[in-house]
Amino acid sequence: MKIQENVPLSGLTTFRTGGPARFLVLIESKDEVPEAARFAEEKGLPLIPIGGGSNLLPPDAGLEAVVVRYLPSEIREEPEGARTRVIADAGCEWDALVAYAVGRGLWGIENLSSIPGTAGAAAVQNIGAYGAALSDTLESVEAYDMLEKRFVTLSKEECGLGYRMSIFKKETDRYLITSVSLLLSKTGEANTTYRDLTVYFEKRPVTKTLGNMRKAVEEIRAGKFPPLAEYGTAGSFFLNPIFTPESVLRISGQYPQMPTYKLPEGGVKIPLAWIFDQVMRAKGRSEGGAFIWDKQPLVIASEEGASTNDVIRLAQSIVKDFFSHTGIKISPEVRLFGEDKKKFE
Ligand code: FAD
Ligand code: NAP
């Protein structure tokens, strides 16, 4: 285990903003996890796990915390009937896991190609894109439980996965995830129900092989989201709100042209991006070095030299404007801390 002090979080997050972490602990093997938990307890500081920092916005003042990065990143597999169990250490890059699965001819996560971050945090967010979600294939998660001070295995049901949601978001920082276990299929069918994918294959004379599905998602995403090498961002800044079939009628009645989407787990999702774009004309808005991404207004991006405070001020103005149009309070998907977080409660 390596301990560093006062490490700038701007270097550990994709927004590239934020002050220092009081301590950064790098965990190199699973047996160091209890030691890291004890270290945080001794210091009387909260332990905050971090992966690729692609869904976090740390405060400009930094975090008075022990920020912990779990580094092991091995992938292993074992047969499980007609399927294959793939177990990835939490520190494995998510997209490396997708590349591994596609390379091994295993179906189930190809639509989740090119999502930044680690395999461990994928379970926190129940990552989703292009008509797929981690919950389609997740079997279980292994984690260290900070409350009970022991390793636990949580089944998919115990992870409480929902739309961009899990028990790990509800019980913040109780668990340090050490590995995720997925069940993938040796035979599969391409899921091209998502409009962008349907259109992609309609326009090209290519077969919907596993490799071509990954390539399609990579290409679509590359044209739509900010390149991380050039801009700071954490992807979609806000969560699409979920309504009951009855309560969605008010907002869909207000905007009859707006599409709505039924979620498999129940509830109806409305696309914020549609209202940001069509009603609020949010594209082009900025605060300091933070601005709304032109190709997807749900995404906030930042220029070199931007601060967390710039992003927060822009996000606050969007929340306020959205409320004045719809009477609905929207919430950030990106994790915020302390005073920044309180501004959206
Ligand atoms: P971090 O940002 O480091 O952490 C996120 C949360 O997980 C924090 O609460 C953190 O404390 C916790 N955490 C991290 N590691 C652990 C661990 N080992 N144990 C317990 N808790 C942990 N998300 C989608 O769902 N779909 C997308 O299509 C998508 N596209 C994106 C595109 C871009 C350009 C960007 C920048 C982001 C996108 N995201 C998307 C958001 C983000 O990539 C995901 O949420 C990703 O899973 C975050 O992984 P991370 O390792 O960077 O997590
Ligand atoms: P999009 O296709 O322009 O769609 C806009 C919104 O409508 C999205 O929020 C999407 O919801 C919803 N939507 C569109 N078609 C849908 C369908 N067939 N079924 C259900 N919902 C539908 O979105 P985009 O910006 O290009 O993103 C493409 C995919 O990548 C989306 O799945 C998006 O979630 C994901 N993504 C997520 C992040 C993040 O940080 N969370 C960042 C980049 C991309 P969903 O968001 O639920 O799909």
Side-chain angles (χ1 to χ4, degrees):
M1 173 168 116
K2 284 202 184 97
I3 302 172
Q4 298 166 10
E5 280 193 65
N6 298 319
V7 180
L9 284 154
S10 52
L12 299 173
T13 58
T14 55
F15 250 126
R16 303 205 289 259
T17 63
R22 179 73 185 86
F23 293 100
L24 173 69
V25 173
L26 301 174
I27 296 180
E28 288 163 324
S29 73
K30 192 176 146 186
D31 53 15
E32 292 174 354
V33 174
E35 203 184 330
R38 275 196 302 277
F39 177 77
E41 214 169 60
E42 277 162 27
K43 296 287 175 196
L45 294 174
L47 182 150
I48 300 177
I50 191 171
S54 63
N55 217 12
L56 289 172
L57 183 62
D60 288 323
L63 285 173
E64 193 58 17
V66 175
V67 173
V68 170
R69 216 167 167 187
Y70 189 79
L71 297 178
S73 60
E74 263 181 40
I75 302 173
R76 44 206 179 277
E77 66 174 66
E78 48 193 55
E80 176 62 36
R83 293 187 286 180
T84 299
R85 175 175 295 112
V86 176
I87 304 157
D89 288 335
C92 171
E93 223 181 277
W94 170 260
D95 198 51
L97 179 58
V98 181
Y100 171 92
V102 170
R104 298 279 300 146
L106 298 170
W107 291 80
I109 53 175
E110 59 283 354
N111 288 29
L112 302 177
S113 290
S114 297
I115 300 181
T118 54
V124 176
Q125 159 93 340
N126 185 21
I127 51 168
Y130 300 97
L134 181 68
S135 49
D136 302 336
T137 54
L138 188 80
E139 182 188 34
S140 62
V141 160
E142 189 189 60
Y144 185 75
D145 182 340
M146 306 286 168
L147 267 187
E148 296 193 5
K149 297 188 170 49
R150 65 183 177 97
F151 286 98
V152 291
T153 300
L154 302 173
S155 67
K156 170 173 151 171
E157 290 68 33
E158 288 169 317
C159 291
L161 303 179
Y163 179 69
R164 312 287 196 264
M165 190 43 73
S166 70
I167 182 188
F168 311 108
K169 280 196 178 180
K170 290 181 185 150
E171 296 191 48
T172 321
D173 303 335
R174 171 170 173 182
Y175 298 98
L176 177 75
I177 298 171
T178 52
S179 68
V180 297
S181 170
L182 312 184
L183 284 175
L184 303 180
S185 304
K186 291 176 213 160
T187 55
E189 213 176 295
N191 170 5
T192 55
T193 50
Y194 203 89
R195 191 173 51 89
D196 290 2
L197 282 170
T198 315
V199 172
Y200 179 96
F201 283 101
E202 273 170 6
K203 283 188 179 162
R204 289 168 184 79
V206 287
T207 44
K208 296 170 190 169
T209 59
L210 194 48
N212 284 341
M213 285 298 289
R214 174 163 166 79
K215 191 163 166 267
V217 174
E218 284 174 338
E219 282 179 20
I220 294 167
R221 293 187 68 111
K224 183 134 192 200
F225 305 114
L228 289 176
E230 237 172 290
Y231 298 101
T233 186
S236 303
F237 195 87
F238 298 101
L239 267 176
N240 285 315
I242 313 298
F243 296 87
T244 62
E246 298 74 40
S247 64
V248 79
L249 294 177
R250 185 182 66 75
I251 182 85
S252 57
Q254 192 177 348
Y255 304 115
Q257 310 295 325
M258 179 185 73
T260 57
Y261 304 100
K262 279 194 183 134
L263 292 177
E265 63 266 35
V268 184
K269 177 182 75 181
I270 64 158
L272 287 185
W274 190 92
I275 299 178
F276 287 4
D277 205 11
Q278 306 290 322
V279 180
M280 290 161 54
R281 308 279 173 209
K283 282 182 187 170
R285 283 200 204 176
S286 65
E287 283 288 343
F291 62 99
I292 298 291
W293 186 246
D294 196 41
K295 292 183 184 139
Q296 166 50 294
L298 207 52
V299 171
I300 295 183
S302 60
E303 295 164 349
E304 180 93 44
S307 65
T308 288
N309 197 36
D310 292 342
V311 179
I312 294 289
R313 282 187 292 123
L314 177 59
Q316 277 183 295
S317 81
I318 296 284
V319 171
K320 201 171 153 207
D321 197 7
F322 190 86
F323 188 81
S324 69
H325 278 93
T326 65
I328 296 165
K329 197 164 169 284
I330 53 171
S331 308
E333 177 183 295
V334 174
R335 181 169 179 189
L336 309 176
F337 300 86
E339 290 303 313
D340 292 339
K341 190 175 168 196
K342 283 190 195 143
K343 289 175 183 157
F344 295 88
E345 284 171 358

